[in-house]
Amino acid sequence: MSVSKGPLEIALEAEAPIDLADRIIDALRYRIGKDRQAARPHDWLAATVLTVRDRVIDKWMASTRNAHASGAKRVYYLSLEFLIGRLLRDALSNLGVMEEVRAALSSLDVDLEIIREIEPDAALGNGGLGRLAACFMESLASLDLPAYGYGIRYVNGMFRQRIDDGWQVELPETWLEYGNPWEFERRESAYHVGFGGEVIADEAALAKWVPGEQVIAMAVDTPVVGYGGKRVNTLRLWNAHAIDPIRLDAFNAGDHIGALAGKNRAESLTRVLYPADSSSAGQELRLRQEYFFSSASLQDILRRHIQYFGDIRTLPDKAAIQLNDTHPAVSVAEMMRLLIDVHNLGFEEAWKITVATFGYTNHTLLPEALESWPLALFERLLPRHTQLIYAINANVLKAARKVRPDDDAFVAAISLIDERGDRRVRMANLAFAGSHSVNGVAALHTQLMKETVFADLNTLYPNRINNKTNGITPRRWLQQCNPRLTSLIREAIGDSFLARAENLTDLDAFASDAAFQEKFAAVKRHNKVDLSEYLRRTLGIKTDPDAMFDVQIKRIHEYKRQLLNILETVALYNQIRLHPERDWTPRVKIFAGKAASSYHRAKQIIKLANDVARRINADPAVGSLLKVAFIPNYNVSLAELIVPAADLSEQISTAGLEASGTGNMKFALNGALTIGTLDGANIEIRDRVGDDNIFIFGMTADQVAARRAEGYDPAAAINASPELAQALANIGSGVFAPDDPARYTDLVHDLFHSDWFMVAADFDAYERTQRRIDKVFQHSAIWTEKAVHNTANMGWFSSDRTIQQYAADIWGMI
């Protein structure tokens, strides 16, 4: 098939492996300080990264020069998370030098796969929000769009998860312990960020903020390589430094700890992702983090704009700033402060520039996840911003009164200040009012935004909400994580899909081809063997690669309904023991994910999964028919191992609560079939792969809302389901917790009385669908045909498509 070349198809010059080997040896000697004979695997990793990095730097500098020379508009993506994973394989693949580097290392008796596995995962994110940001950064570079990502350089990330006796234990993530060869400190890009203090009038009677505390934000840059290597963009993360790292007077007076208090207070800003906010101190740290990175990023953006374009009034023409959820929403107030207080613009002109520059992406319909801050805390930390928010709010409320003069409830819902109970600053409302575009991340999610959480704001700003369904980069989530499948697809349809994922549809013609099915199934089995070996080595669980690998890996949260999966697992366990004569389909149930540190119920669900696993895996009555594994410390690298091996993808959130999901896309792209509700992007996946190639169950979002409105009785639903009732009786009576029979009493009690996430209501439909899946899986040809259809029709969910839509519809770049 002949297609024209585009930015994703730039050919790279090859370099002979012997020359690469010499360069790696030079890096080892002169930059690591090691002789070849003394080098350890981590030395070879560092030398290889530095050698590859040299090529990246050349392209990085060329990309920057070209953007400056052309006066190109840039997109600035502000996100509290960037879950970028390991970078070596990504860079090698996108530069097109994987095999050359592999051969060069082999000539030095070094295995690329061995050293690649010891590269730490960057602890810069937690889940889908951060992984989406990473995919977007890669697609921006691949599509040759100039961009910066802005975030925080977390020293310890969220946490490293260890499972002790089934319980989650949070430990510091030490990914930076031995340095990071990919990053570059930019001492010249340093900005003061203030907190507290007061606002006074200067000699011209203008407001002047005098912070009571200041820290220095210093930039650390990581290159992001696009596919084909034509463009390399920048991920700029902020370190925090105290202005005075030590108080010598206090130190010399003997207060050695107090002398470092300022340094420790500053560095706490970049220590941990999502510090627990169950305490007032935790809330304050979260807000300080969000303002810290927002302020530093905006100061950097405005500095760059003035340097290259001169007039601050042209900012919307040359910069598009995208807020990834509400975490950077304080940027709206900070932009106004900078434009008014620093660049001397009037309020109305500053507001016009602000709205034209910002776009806001919403990722949740959960009211508790739409950030708000106690007004007293906000005003104490950011007094000038509070003044500006009141001024913005005055204009917003006046506009609301014109639309509905006598509707106090309408005006109250739109206000940037929530006056119910303790007054709070609504960050989602601030982001909405301060952006020219507000987008959802799946068709259903966007529609529900208009109807629920933003119904009133949508009335006031009727053309502001739009949809941009999420996507994933096919480079990492097919080509790199599943090279066996990638090779098979290339053999069948050629290479065009490598640059244009939508060309995967050519694979549909092979879905019913018996010879291709056999090869496709063999690839899946190879991947399952790899995962089986990992489970044996790390958890001591022996699994059969011919069993169905049934996988749910994602953040642990009640709305994602890992509990529903566990309950069905217990019900299946009971049925296998009761009816050993039936033709059961062997299953391996695989769970992974982290629970927020202060989220008790989510941590209890992790414990339950491990208790159920311990009981089932030791029971000879089920043998190899059912195994359960909870894999600790879920991260990008684990996902890259698990996703290619999955047969069944669990996407079972309560309908109407999952904004989009991206795990669903990764699994389907790699030939897993989805069991899921009509929620988030599951709907669009169904539309692409076809009703016959996905397993949909349960209530729709409208039915969930109606069930709640009519007075949902979970006890009645449980009592009407013998399998669910028995599973809950087992769990509640301590069958899976003999050391503490009352461990799950509260969990079972709550399910009977306040099943907000409709676990009981959807259980029977879920259980019936699982038994239907059993039957389909027993027919290998039918299952494989469905799997091929999934892979063939997932190209539309490339993040390249998503970014092209952002660039055309929101950023004005193409």
Side-chain angles (χ1 to χ4, degrees):
M1 175 179 303
S2 175
V3 293
S4 60
K5 286 195 173 185
L8 295 180
E9 296 167 303
I10 306 303
L12 288 164
E13 68 277 9
E15 184 168 359
I18 189 170
D19 296 330
L20 269 172
D22 288 342
R23 291 175 60 195
I24 292 171
I25 288 295
D26 285 346
L28 185 69
R29 178 179 296 118
Y30 297 114
R31 300 162 81 174
I32 308 300
K34 279 289 185 76
D35 183 81
R36 176 179 173 182
Q37 281 68 37
R40 308 298 296 168
H42 63 268
D43 298 317
W44 287 112
L45 171 64
T48 303
V49 168
L50 292 171
T51 301
V52 173
R53 196 183 73 169
D54 289 344
R55 176 175 286 198
V56 171
I57 290 171
D58 290 337
K59 297 181 180 298
W60 196 11
M61 291 182 173
S63 298
T64 303
R65 284 194 300 268
N66 291 341
H68 291 165
S70 66
K73 187 174 188 177
R74 283 188 176 90
V75 59
Y76 297 103
Y77 198 80
L78 273 59
S79 178
L80 203 59
E81 298 184 48
F82 286 93
L83 198 56
I84 57 177
R86 294 168 175 162
L87 293 179
L88 177 57
R89 185 176 64 183
D90 196 50
L92 294 177
S93 179
N94 279 359
L95 288 171
V97 295
M98 181 76 76
E99 295 312 313
E100 289 88 339
V101 171
R102 190 187 307 279
L105 288 169
S106 181
S107 73
L108 301 170
D109 298 321
V110 177
D111 187 332
L112 173 60
E113 293 307 307
I114 290 176
I115 65 168
R116 187 184 65 77
E117 287 291 331
I118 64 174
E119 181 182 9
D121 272 54
L124 300 172
N126 172 40
L129 181 85
R131 187 51 233 171
L132 180 76
C135 284
F136 279 6
M137 287 301 298
E138 197 267 0
S139 280
L140 282 160
S142 295
L143 292 167
D144 199 20
L145 296 172
Y148 272 71
Y150 281 105
I152 292 177
R153 182 181 179 268
Y154 302 105
V155 176
N156 296 120
M158 187 173 177
F159 56 81
R160 175 168 56 89
Q161 182 193 57
R162 191 176 72 199
I163 301 299
D164 286 356
D165 191 30
W167 290 104
Q168 171 178 290
V169 176
E170 297 102 28
L171 301 170
E173 180 61 72
T174 56
W175 73 289
L176 288 171
E177 185 174 10
Y178 300 110
N180 178 9
W182 291 108
E183 65 183 20
F184 297 81
E185 188 176 76
R186 306 300 192 193
R187 297 181 184 179
E188 71 281 5
S189 296
Y191 303 93
H192 285 72
V193 177
F195 300 97
E198 60 180 338
V199 182
I200 62 174
D202 65 11
E203 59 275 7
L206 298 175
K208 180 182 179 182
W209 181 27
V210 182
E213 172 193 0
Q214 292 193 76
V215 298
I216 297 173
M218 186 176 294
V220 178
D221 289 353
T222 299
V224 180
V225 183
Y227 183 65
K230 180 178 181 180
R231 170 163 291 282
V232 178
N233 282 328
T234 302
L235 174 60
R236 174 157 286 186
L237 304 175
W238 297 106
N239 264 340
H241 300 276
I243 293 176
D244 296 313
I246 183 172
R247 287 182 51 211
L248 283 176
D249 57 340
F251 191 88
N252 290 331
D255 186 6
H256 302 149
I257 295 176
L260 297 173
K263 177 177 184 292
N264 292 334
R265 183 169 170 79
E267 291 179 356
S268 70
L269 288 167
T270 58
R271 182 65 60 181
V272 175
L273 168 65
Y274 297 144
D277 58 359
S278 53
S279 67
S280 58
Q283 290 179 25
E284 178 174 335
L285 179 55
R286 282 280 292 272
L287 179 55
R288 284 166 59 88
Q289 284 182 320
E290 292 180 7
Y291 176 67
F292 165 76
F293 103 90
S294 296
S295 176
S297 302
L298 291 187
Q299 290 184 66
D300 196 47
I301 292 167
L302 296 189
R303 185 271 308 163
R304 185 178 298 107
H305 180 80
I306 293 296
Q307 178 181 347
Y308 290 105
F309 303 109
D311 187 357
I312 196 64
R313 292 170 175 82
T314 64
L315 182 67
D317 300 325
K318 296 299 181 180
I321 304 176
Q322 193 69 29
L323 306 176
N324 192 27
D325 218 24
T326 54
H327 306 129
V330 70
S331 296
V332 172
E334 174 68 356
M335 178 70 85
M336 290 293 287
R337 183 188 75 84
L338 293 170
L339 293 177
I340 294 171
D341 296 358
V342 178
H343 295 280
N344 303 312
L345 298 186
F347 183 92
E348 295 302 328
E349 187 175 21
W351 184 242
K352 182 179 179 181
I353 291 171
T354 296
V355 173
T357 304
F358 280 115
Y360 160 49
T361 301
N362 172 270
H363 286 280
T364 184
L365 298 172
L366 295 172
E368 66 269 21
L370 294 173
E371 282 189 316
S372 66
W373 298 108
L375 182 59
L377 168 64
F378 197 94
E379 189 161 20
R380 176 168 59 82
L381 280 183
L382 302 171
R384 177 59 176 147
H385 300 78
T386 304
Q387 291 180 342
L388 291 167
I389 285 173
Y390 272 117
I392 295 166
N393 202 35
N395 287 348
V396 171
L397 295 183
K398 289 175 185 176
R401 281 292 179 196
K402 288 181 180 179
V403 174
R404 293 186 180 174
D406 301 318
D407 192 340
D408 290 345
F410 175 74
V411 174
I414 283 172
S415 177
L416 308 187
I417 309 295
D418 185 352
E419 296 190 51
R420 297 169 299 179
D422 293 336
R423 292 178 180 176
R424 301 180 72 88
V425 182
R426 292 167 163 159
M427 304 311 288
N429 289 31
L430 176 63
F432 197 113
S435 301
H436 68 279
S437 167
V438 178
N439 72 279
V441 290
L444 174 65
H445 169 239
T446 300
Q447 185 59 37
L448 290 173
M449 282 170 57
K450 296 177 181 180
E451 296 173 0
T452 59
V453 292
F454 294 133
D456 297 296
L457 282 162
N458 185 52
T459 299
L460 184 61
Y461 304 105
N463 299 313
R464 196 161 287 189
I465 295 178
N466 61 92
N467 180 60
K468 298 290 175 282
T469 297
N470 283 345
I472 58 173
T473 168
R475 269 77 63 181
R476 184 177 287 265
W477 295 110
L478 178 61
Q479 297 172 35
Q480 295 167 31
C481 78
N482 203 342
R484 295 184 183 107
L485 181 56
T486 301
S487 296
L488 177 61
I489 296 171
R490 295 177 72 179
E491 177 187 311
I493 65 172
D495 290 349
S496 68
F497 77 96
L498 297 174
R500 293 183 171 87
E502 62 269 24
N503 290 346
L504 280 168
T505 53
D506 294 343
L507 197 66
D508 243 343
F510 293 85
S512 57
D513 183 292
F516 184 81
Q517 286 180 1
E518 184 177 350
K519 294 177 182 178
F520 193 95
V523 165
K524 179 65 72 173
R525 193 180 190 283
H526 274 298
N527 294 334
K528 291 165 72 175
V529 168
D530 289 345
L531 181 54
S532 291
E533 173 56 24
Y534 180 85
L535 296 175
R536 183 200 63 77
R537 188 174 69 250
T538 59
L539 300 178
I541 300 173
K542 294 182 179 179
T543 55
D544 180 1
D546 291 318
M548 181 196 303
F549 278 29
D550 176 353
V551 179
Q552 187 175 20
I553 50 174
K554 54 183 74 232
R555 180 167 53 97
I556 309 297
H557 196 290
E558 287 172 278
Y559 89 84
K560 294 179 183 289
R561 298 203 297 190
Q562 285 91 354
L563 181 58
L564 176 61
N565 192 350
I566 297 168
L567 289 170
E568 194 277 328
T569 302
V570 173
L572 176 59
Y573 172 57
N574 288 336
Q575 282 295 307
I576 292 173
R577 292 190 298 166
L578 282 170
H579 298 284
E581 78 285 357
R582 292 180 182 172
D583 186 18
W584 295 105
T585 297
R587 281 191 186 232
V588 179
K589 288 272 195 176
I590 297 170
F591 297 87
K594 295 177 181 179
S597 301
S598 57
Y599 194 170
H600 167 73
R601 178 50 51 83
K603 296 170 87 166
Q604 189 180 34
I605 289 170
I606 290 176
K607 174 59 173 171
L608 176 60
N610 282 285
D611 279 348
V612 168
R614 181 174 56 189
R615 174 64 179 261
I616 291 176
N617 294 343
D619 191 338
V622 296
S624 61
L625 290 176
L626 183 61
K627 296 291 183 182
V628 183
F630 187 98
I631 305 177
N633 204 37
Y634 178 55
N635 57 19
V636 175
S637 295
L638 265 178
E640 291 171 342
L641 174 67
I642 297 169
V643 167
D647 293 305
L648 187 65
S649 163
E650 298 269 355
Q651 309 298 330
I652 59 176
S653 55
T654 310
L657 295 184
E658 184 70 82
S660 171
T662 52
N664 47 7
M665 303 169 191
K666 294 161 193 165
F667 281 113
L669 180 62
N670 284 272
L673 303 189
T674 301
I675 177 171
T677 52
L678 285 176
D679 197 26
N682 289 354
I683 298 170
E684 289 152 281
I685 291 175
R686 179 202 60 179
D687 294 343
R688 296 280 166 175
V689 306
D691 289 329
D692 292 339
N693 301 309
I694 189 170
F695 299 99
I696 298 296
F697 76 94
M699 292 180 291
T700 64
D702 287 343
Q703 289 169 335
V704 167
R707 190 83 178 263
R708 287 178 181 148
E710 69 189 17
Y712 167 53
D713 181 3
I718 293 168
N719 292 329
S721 173
E723 293 302 324
L724 175 58
Q726 184 60 55
L728 287 172
N730 291 156
I731 293 168
S733 64
V735 167
F736 298 97
D739 57 321
D740 181 10
R743 181 178 296 146
Y744 302 113
T745 301
D746 62 332
L747 185 152
V748 173
H749 174 273
D750 290 350
L751 204 60
F752 268 92
H753 294 89
S754 57
D755 180 22
W756 179 254
F757 298 103
M758 299 284 171
V759 171
D762 270 346
F763 179 86
D764 282 352
Y766 178 60
E767 194 270 341
R768 285 194 301 269
T769 304
Q770 290 285 22
R771 300 293 73 79
R772 181 161 63 92
I773 289 169
D774 284 341
K775 292 182 172 59
V776 178
F777 190 77
Q778 290 176 356
H779 299 279
S780 177
I782 296 175
W783 184 275
T784 303
E785 181 176 354
K786 293 178 182 295
V788 175
H789 280 307
N790 270 263
T791 296
N793 289 283
M794 288 303 294
W796 187 83
F797 293 95
S798 166
S799 50
D800 297 343
R801 183 268 312 157
T802 312
I803 287 299
Q804 286 172 327
Q805 292 178 343
Y806 273 93
D809 301 340
I810 298 176
W811 302 331
M813 297 178 71
I814 58 176

PDB file of all heavy atoms in Angstrom, residues 90 106 332 371 710:
ATOM      1  N   ASP A  90      11.866   3.509  24.719  1.00  0.00           N
ATOM      2  CA  ASP A  90      11.051   4.476  23.998  1.00  0.00           C
ATOM      3  C   ASP A  90      11.920   5.293  23.052  1.00  0.00           C
ATOM      4  O   ASP A  90      11.578   5.507  21.879  1.00  0.00           O
ATOM      5  CB  ASP A  90      10.352   5.385  25.013  1.00  0.00           C
ATOM      6  CG  ASP A  90       9.205   6.156  24.412  1.00  0.00           C
ATOM      7  OD1 ASP A  90       8.352   5.547  23.748  1.00  0.00           O
ATOM      8  OD2 ASP A  90       9.155   7.381  24.605  1.00  0.00           O
ATOM      9  N   SER A 106      25.604  -6.303  22.098  1.00  0.00           N
ATOM     10  CA  SER A 106      25.901  -7.729  21.984  1.00  0.00           C
ATOM     11  C   SER A 106      27.364  -7.951  21.659  1.00  0.00           C
ATOM     12  O   SER A 106      27.984  -8.892  22.171  1.00  0.00           O
ATOM     13  CB  SER A 106      25.010  -8.354  20.909  1.00  0.00           C
ATOM     14  OG  SER A 106      25.263  -9.735  20.782  1.00  0.00           O
ATOM     15  N   VAL A 332      -5.248  30.131  36.398  1.00  0.00           N
ATOM     16  CA  VAL A 332      -6.115  31.202  35.887  1.00  0.00           C
ATOM     17  C   VAL A 332      -5.915  32.468  36.720  1.00  0.00           C
ATOM     18  O   VAL A 332      -5.722  33.572  36.179  1.00  0.00           O
ATOM     19  CB  VAL A 332      -7.591  30.759  35.891  1.00  0.00           C
ATOM     20  CG1 VAL A 332      -8.506  31.926  35.545  1.00  0.00           C
ATOM     21  CG2 VAL A 332      -7.798  29.604  34.919  1.00  0.00           C
ATOM     22  N   GLU A 371     -11.862  19.591  42.675  1.00  0.00           N
ATOM     23  CA  GLU A 371     -11.154  20.202  43.792  1.00  0.00           C
ATOM     24  C   GLU A 371     -11.788  21.516  44.252  1.00  0.00           C
ATOM     25  O   GLU A 371     -12.225  22.327  43.442  1.00  0.00           O
ATOM     26  CB  GLU A 371      -9.706  20.495  43.397  1.00  0.00           C
ATOM     27  CG  GLU A 371      -8.803  19.287  43.423  1.00  0.00           C
ATOM     28  CD  GLU A 371      -7.353  19.701  43.239  1.00  0.00           C
ATOM     29  OE1 GLU A 371      -7.086  20.536  42.368  1.00  0.00           O
ATOM     30  OE2 GLU A 371      -6.508  19.186  43.975  1.00  0.00           O
ATOM     31  N   GLU A 710     -35.367   6.337  42.293  1.00  0.00           N
ATOM     32  CA  GLU A 710     -36.573   5.621  42.725  1.00  0.00           C
ATOM     33  C   GLU A 710     -36.409   4.973  44.090  1.00  0.00           C
ATOM     34  O   GLU A 710     -37.354   4.418  44.643  1.00  0.00           O
ATOM     35  CB  GLU A 710     -36.959   4.567  41.684  1.00  0.00           C
ATOM     36  CG  GLU A 710     -36.000   3.401  41.587  1.00  0.00           C
ATOM     37  CD  GLU A 710     -36.276   2.484  40.402  1.00  0.00           C
ATOM     38  OE1 GLU A 710     -36.994   2.909  39.480  1.00  0.00           O
ATOM     39  OE2 GLU A 710     -35.759   1.339  40.410  1.00  0.00           O
TER      40      GLU A 710
END
